[in-house]
Amino acid sequence: MILGIEGKWALVCAASKGLGKGCAQALVAEGVNVVITARGADALEATAAELRALNGGRVVAVAGDITTPEGRTAALAACPQVDILVNNAGGPPPGDFRDWERDAWIKAIDANMLTPIELIKATVDGMAARGFGRVVNITSGAVKAPIDMLGLSNGARSGLTGFVAGLARQGRLASANVTINNLLPGVFDTDRLRTTMQGVASKSGQSLDAVLDKRRATVPAARFGTAAEFGAVCAFMCSAHAGYLTGQNILLDGGAFPGAF
Ligand code: NAD
């Protein structure tokens, strides 16, 4: 299938590694020009070099923290126009809500709710004026099935999900071919997964491999997802064919969520 987005410009946030990188790779493979961001310049430049080798499109790397106003301004300034926005940032740390003071909550809400909302605000009206726009927010399967130790993520991402459900249905966006959807990862084999599972291993005295095996066994597909397959679904959601898909939460979890809907 030809996705029909060749030559568009995408801003893919937090994309030097993991799921964001998977999305950038899939878009670049379709001939999309991308601006990618991450905090660490070295890993970001290495990813940009990989992406440039994939296709003839333009790849611009902007180092910075996307959860800050400066980081967002720099990322937006590097993109001649944003036709596709993939919102992503690191997830909040796990823990017990009894230990979280206001600052911890504000940090999580800033990163995983207000940052995507600010970027959506900066881009969707331009998309509507041009008659094409795709926003994909990388959230989490924890929005559908909250995970106790990830309370900061459950809370902040649910706030974004509720907001997006309303915004995506605004007539002046939906009727202008601007779609806004969330892509919910289950368990994907990335640095984030390994860091989280290492924390569980250290606390419980098990080996990392034993913890990963147990986690894998909770997934009907009997494996972790890959960043490449996550990116492929994201690219389809950004495609010319997905103009009637808006305001949805697309769960990609190898069958782990046990419900029918
Ligand atoms: P990862 O740690 O593998 O990669 C995160 C990327 O984000 C890196 O490129 C990092 O440099 C960048 N980044 C982090 N904070 C940033 C910031 N403030 N500004 C700019 N760049 C930043 O993580 P991942 O597994 O790809 O996860 C991506 C998102 O998906 C996270 O929010 C995570 O919580 C969520 N998620 C992941 C899984 C999973 O199984 N991997 C499951 C559910 C949710």
Side-chain angles (χ1 to χ4, degrees), residues 14 16-19 38-39 65-66 88-91 157 186 188 190 192:
S16 67
K17 297 180 192 167
L19 305 180
R39 283 173 304 189
D65 184 339
I66 201 70
N88 186 30
R157 295 189 202 277
F188 279 79
T190 65
R192 158 99 176 164

Side-chain angles (χ1 to χ4, degrees), residues 14-75:
S16 67
K17 297 180 192 167
L19 305 180
K21 180 178 174 181
C23 295
Q25 281 172 322
L27 290 168
V28 168
E30 290 299 319
V32 174
N33 303 307
V34 295
V35 172
I36 56 170
T37 85
R39 283 173 304 189
D42 292 349
L44 184 66
E45 282 304 335
T47 295
E50 274 181 50
L51 294 176
R52 284 183 196 116
L54 275 182
N55 210 329
R58 290 185 58 195
V59 176
V60 182
V62 181
D65 184 339
I66 201 70
T67 70
T68 64
E70 303 74 42
R72 290 191 288 276
T73 302

